[in-house]
Every structure is written in structure tokens, then in C-alpha cells.
Amino acid sequence: MRRFTPAVLAALTLTTALTAVPAAQAQDGGSPVLGIAACTGTACHFDVPPGTYDVKVLLGGGAASSTAIAGETRRSLLPETAVPAGERVARTFTVNVRTPEGEPTGVDGTPGLDLVLGGSAPALADIRVTPARHARQVFLVGDSTVCDQPGDPYSGWGQQLPQYLRKGVSVANYADSGESTVTYLGNPRLWATVQPQIHRGDLVMIQLAHNDKTTDEATYRANLETLVAGVREKGGRPVLVTPIVRRWFSADGTLNNGTALLVNGLGVDHPAVVRSVAAERDVPLIDLTAKTRALVESLGAEGSKALYLYNEKRDNTHTSVHGATVYAGLVRDELLAQHLVPEGLVRVG
């Protein structure tokens, strides 16, 4: 799959209420607390080094409001939250700040932490950013269907996953466009960069298949096993994820074909190999192939177009923001069902 040229984020014209709350200088003599003084209009910029940060926002204003928050390279960090007129609602989340801030082989992006307010009627009354303590990390290893896509209308499911997680867990999305298991292991900016950052207890979710078009089964299996072993070597918890389906319908209205179900030109059934490695190596499995197939088939050829970029690009592989959000929700459900992330750290509803 090709890499997409980064697009400059369009300036937002939404009106927002920013209450003049002065930024606190410190908390109990510790690290500085960064506040609303760093915000202008619908954007906030915090001069912080790479790391993991907790963000607490106070939403609401004199009028009824509805606010969502995105950050860095178009990551969805807080789902749209409605607040009645005259009321305030506090919300928190944890965010990973890194360089490059999006795809690991892409451009560096802007230093520090950048947040953007969205929603139908955004209103931010206060904000505090502090270094996260003892945050759980979820690393993502994947391709363009997972990554932090730089340009609209594209979005990977990993780009939408953070909004489903609460303060105390952050997503470090190291998925990269165009990568196979072969190239991900071979590029020093990818696996060689991710593995040293893994700490005991960190979750590492691996979805690589779309670009293994010429990878034979033995090599594909061995590469998955190498990634699993590398995560465990650092004390992390590997999770294997089968690839999202391509929206490619057969004449009978199903996705029962190799193109949709990720069987490559050599006859390698990628989802089947992933399931096999997960069973043999006792690795948790999120069968996203099965889940996305069931959803796409239930919507049918017409209804499923909105999940992908068919209408915009005639693209049946890459997801829209809507599709990526729906697919991230499927991942969220499995994180809960398999107790991979504590229930209290997952946003539901």
C-alpha cells in the first residue's frame, strides 16, 4: 500500500469559549503544570519533550456545548462530549508525545504536544497537562490500515483507538504505511526503535499482512514468531491481530475470496497463519478479520462504502475516519472482553 503525502491540517473556524483561568506554575513543588494559557482559539500547544502526559480538561461554557479533542497527527483523544449550558464536565486522557509524531518513517512534525478542539460547539474552560506517572503503554505495530495517517480523509484504526482509553493508558502508534513483516523487522526506524521502548507489562498489538504479498508462509510465520519473542524478551505482552478485510465482494454478496480475506498471490492465508501462531505460542488473538468481515457483509455492498474510502478514492482497503473509528471500537471491545486492559481504563458508551 502506498504512502500518502502529509497534508497541512486545515485551520478550524469553530467558535470556542476559553475561560481565562491562569495556568498553575507547579504542583506540590514538582513538575510545572501547563494550562490554558497555552491555548488560542481552538488549538493548544505545550512545549514539552517526548514522553507520556496526562491531560485534564474542563469542558463547558455559558451556552450548551459539544467538544471533541484530537492531537498530534490527527489522533482522536477524546470523543465528542456534550455539556448543558452553564455546566462544566471534567475529562482526562493520557497521550504519547514522540518524534516523528505520526508514522515512524514520516516527517518529524511539530515539537511538543499539540491539541485541537473539534465537535459541533467546542468549549474549553480549563486544561492541565502533567507528566504521566506509571502509565500503561499500548504499542501498535502495523501498516497503513493501523497507522496515524497524516492526511484527510484517510485514517487508521490505531489513530482512533486513543479516544476509547482513559487516563492511565496511552497508545504509541508505530504502525507505518507500506510495511510488511519483512520490512518492519528490517527497518531500523521500526522494530529496532520500538523494541527497546517496551517495558514489563506493556501491550504490543501486531497487525501486519496487507503488504506481505510476496512473503512465503514459512517466512511470514517466522517473522510473526520473531516479533512475539521480541516483545516477551522485554517483558511485554504481545497480542496478534488478524488484518482488517478489504471491501471486495463476491458475486454472492459475501467476502469469500482471497482479495477480501488477505490470501496472497502465493496462496498464503495470512489470517489463518496469524491464528495458528497465536494458538501455538499462547498469544492473545484479536480476530479482526472475522469481525470486520461480519460487519462489512452485514452492511452489504452499498452500506459498507462509508467504512472505506470507496466514495472518495475508490479505495476498498483504507478506512475513512468513520470506518477507522468503528474498527477501533471492535478492538476496544476485545481489549475488554479478553481483559487485556483493565475495565476502568477503557471508555465505553
Side-chain angles (χ1 to χ4, degrees):
M1 291 172 286
R2 63 186 180 89
R3 178 179 302 289
F4 305 104
T5 304
V8 177
L9 187 64
L12 295 178
T13 57
L14 297 170
T15 302
T16 184
L18 291 180
T19 305
V21 179
Q25 296 302 307
Q27 204 170 47
D28 300 326
S31 302
V33 178
L34 302 165
I36 203 166
C39 302
T40 304
T42 55
C44 304
H45 174 76
F46 302 95
D47 290 319
V48 295
T52 306
Y53 295 88
D54 290 332
V55 179
K56 180 177 181 179
V57 295
L58 190 64
L59 305 176
S65 62
S66 188
T67 309
I69 299 179
E72 299 296 86
T73 304
R74 303 175 62 239
R75 295 181 225 158
S76 294
L77 300 172
L78 188 70
E80 188 157 357
T81 303
V83 182
E87 295 188 16
R88 300 288 188 272
V89 170
R91 292 289 185 268
T92 57
F93 55 88
T94 301
V95 59
N96 172 256
V97 177
R98 60 183 183 272
T99 303
E101 68 179 27
E103 294 182 273
T105 64
V107 298
D108 284 353
T110 306
L113 171 61
D114 288 285
L115 301 176
V116 177
L117 304 182
S120 59
L124 178 67
D126 196 16
I127 185 169
R128 291 290 183 268
V129 175
T130 54
R133 300 182 183 278
H134 312 299
R136 298 168 184 259
Q137 197 86 289
V138 176
F139 289 93
L140 301 183
V141 170
D143 52 39
S144 61
T145 66
V146 185
C147 76
D148 288 348
Q149 287 280 3
D152 186 68
Y154 295 89
S155 181
W157 63 255
Q159 200 164 17
Q160 301 301 323
L161 185 61
Q163 66 184 300
Y164 291 121
L165 301 174
R166 298 182 184 275
K167 175 187 173 184
V169 57
S170 72
V171 175
N173 191 349
Y174 281 86
D176 195 69
S177 293
E179 306 300 341
S180 65
T181 58
V182 176
T183 60
Y184 204 96
L185 285 167
N187 190 327
R189 299 182 70 178
L190 298 173
W191 182 238
T193 297
V194 175
Q195 192 194 19
Q197 299 182 62
I198 301 170
H199 294 98
R200 183 164 299 280
D202 286 343
L203 209 64
V204 184
M205 302 172 65
I206 302 163
Q207 187 218 278
L208 286 166
H210 278 273
N211 299 299
D212 281 279
K213 298 173 183 176
T214 60
T215 308
D216 63 80
E217 183 169 340
T219 301
Y220 184 65
R221 179 182 296 273
N223 289 343
L224 291 176
E225 291 173 342
T226 296
L227 290 165
V228 166
V231 173
R232 285 176 166 166
E233 178 186 323
K234 304 295 290 187
R237 298 180 295 152
V239 178
L240 288 173
V241 183
T242 58
I244 67 169
V245 295
R246 295 190 179 101
R247 184 191 160 278
W248 195 268
F249 282 88
S250 299
D252 63 359
T254 72
L255 302 183
N256 191 24
N257 60 79
T259 299
L261 300 180
L262 282 296
V263 179
N264 75 7
L266 301 178
V268 180
D269 185 332
H270 293 105
V273 176
V274 175
R275 295 177 189 118
S276 174
V277 172
E280 293 171 5
R281 301 293 174 175
D282 193 26
V283 179
L285 172 74
I286 295 179
D287 198 343
L288 207 49
T289 304
K291 291 185 173 299
T292 55
R293 177 184 180 178
L295 177 58
V296 170
E297 287 184 343
S298 71
L299 292 172
E302 188 62 33
S304 62
K305 288 178 179 178
L307 295 173
Y308 292 82
L309 292 171
Y310 179 84
N311 293 325
E312 299 85 350
K313 304 284 185 178
R314 294 298 187 267
D315 187 333
N316 291 308
T317 296
H318 299 94
T319 47
S320 62
V321 170
H322 167 66
T325 303
V326 171
Y327 287 178
L330 297 177
V331 174
R332 181 271 314 272
D333 293 345
E334 283 299 295
L335 293 176
L336 271 175
Q338 299 190 41
H339 307 290
L340 296 170
V341 175
E343 183 175 345
L345 297 180
V346 179
R347 219 180 287 277
V348 294

